[in-house]
Amino acid sequence: MSRPEEIAPPEVFYGDTEATKYTQNTRIQSIQAQMTARALELLALPEDEVAFLLDIGCGSGLSGEMLDEEGHIWVGCDIAPSMLEVALEREVEGDLFLHDIGQGFGFRPGTFDGAISISVIQWLLNADATSHSPTQRLTRFFTTLHASLRNPSRAVFQFYPSSDDQVHMITSAAQRAGFGGGLVVDYPNSRKARKMYLVLMVGSQEVPKGLDGEEMAVQGKNGVGAERKKEEVRNERRRRKEEGKSRKGKKETTGKEWVMKKKELYRVRGKEGVPRDSRYTARKRRVQF
Amino acid sequence: MVRLITHNMLACHVKNCTKDNFPLVFSEVELVIRESEANYDFLRRFMPKLDWPALVDTARSLGDETLPDDQPEEWTDEQLQALHHVLMEMHVEEGNMTCRGCGHVYPISNGIPNMLLAEHEVGR
């Protein structure tokens, strides 16, 4: 899977060509629409009521279009001017802002009934300028967002973390800003369909469950996920203990195995002049005397 | 495409700018009216969030005098229509928004306001 955030900063990556490509690609369109629909579902807005929403990283308005269809009034912000231009051409209904979300929002407290963001916040983890500090930007983003949301309300972020550390960084920043909630993983057993949603809540509410084919997996900050992790840790410890016991007995490796292992290790480390393997490797020598 | 509904929610977010940072003042404005369907229920629910004096001042600075000085308790359909017109149909396409507190200018071009800050203006 390619990761655009490793290639260039967002405002550079989503230049004119990439912006039109992004918007005309029917596959991206359908995926974005699906994710927006799911995000809206997780947002759990009261039915038949028009809400005032914030679309964080609205891009060319693919997600905004869905909000229009639902009849919501929305405000979108994005850092890539080319994407916003495409959004203007597509005549989306929402108000658009050229805005770096890492700099925080200036909206008055309690403005929005909810916020959605599709495939955006992983960008915040990059430091694209010397003055950027991801933790600081995340904190600024979440605190100002928390302030601008109504109580009670939700913010749903679909994102592509590249590692568990990133997930941890984002969730802890959100927690520090005062958000409740947790991670919802849809289709956790499928590599392709797997989608992560960070559902943040202002005020006390319950975390919704993830979708899947047969079985559920919700990684809450506490509850099921934590319980399972504890279990795993215990198993791991037991396994290590047993391993230790057997090692104390007899050495299992033969001389040849040991030599092969060492040579493999040297090759992996890039050491020069490691002899090639042959049938003579680590052979037994006859006794000389 | 800055509508007044959004403008009424927007304060300056420059570092340490906490006084007089709302509302941002429009200047050199190019206004476009785009008609849209009114949703009175939404307007009624939205009213508590509005900062009425700021809205009236801004609407007047843009040449719309239809709103009363004080927020009415009971709304007639006419007044709701006027409110809808001000909030949802008036789009600022070009111009500047200036913060009265710190003087930061947010330029609006092609309907998109540039909210980017310089590095020293970003809050922590």
Side-chain angles (χ1 to χ4, degrees), chain A residues 217-233:
Chain A
V218 180
Q219 289 185 4
K221 276 177 197 144
N222 38 38
V224 191
E227 198 63 55
R228 198 180 299 152
K229 222 171 222 174
K230 240 183 234 166
E231 182 85 6
E232 253 167 43
V233 168

Side-chain angles (χ1 to χ4, degrees), chain B residues 1-21:
Chain B
M1 275 210 311
V2 184
R3 289 176 290 192
L4 289 201
I5 186 171
T6 320
H7 174 263
N8 201 262
M9 295 296 137
L10 200 62
C12 177
H13 64 296
V14 169
K15 185 182 185 179
N16 296 337
C17 177
T18 47
K19 222 179 142 216
D20 288 335
N21 62 349

Side-chain angles (χ1 to χ4, degrees), chain A residues 48-52 71 73-75 78-79 81 84-85 88 92-100 102-108 110-113 129 131-132 136 140 150, chain B residues 1-15 22 36 39 42 45-46 49-51 88 91 97 109-119 122-124:
Chain A
D48 301 327
E49 273 188 17
V50 177
F52 193 52
I73 314 242
W74 58 279
V75 175
D78 204 290
I79 196 174
L84 291 174
E85 239 162 66
L88 274 187
V92 290
E93 299 270 331
D95 286 352
L96 304 169
F97 284 89
L98 181 65
H99 193 98
D100 181 1
Q103 296 181 342
F105 296 106
F107 296 109
R108 278 173 43 217
T111 299
F112 294 104
D113 299 321
S131 52
H132 284 186
Q136 226 162 46
R140 175 86 181 150
R150 191 173 61 96
Chain B
M1 275 210 311
V2 184
R3 289 176 290 192
L4 289 201
I5 186 171
T6 320
H7 174 263
N8 201 262
M9 295 296 137
L10 200 62
C12 177
H13 64 296
V14 169
K15 185 182 185 179
F22 173 83
S36 67
N39 183 334
F42 171 74
R45 259 184 299 114
F46 202 80
K49 289 185 195 168
L50 288 175
D51 185 314
M88 315 295 270
H91 296 257
M97 293 190 291
S109 84
N110 210 357
I112 299 177
N114 182 343
M115 305 302 285
L116 299 179
L117 301 178
E119 208 39 60
V122 179
R124 299 281 171 230

Side-chain angles (χ1 to χ4, degrees), chain A residues 261-279:
Chain A
K261 208 174 91 188
K262 277 293 186 195
K263 285 169 89 172
E264 196 52 50
L265 190 68
Y266 289 148
R267 280 190 201 111
V268 169
R269 287 181 185 162
K271 192 173 173 182
E272 277 173 33
V274 182
R276 62 194 171 82
D277 298 335
S278 70
R279 62 194 168 111

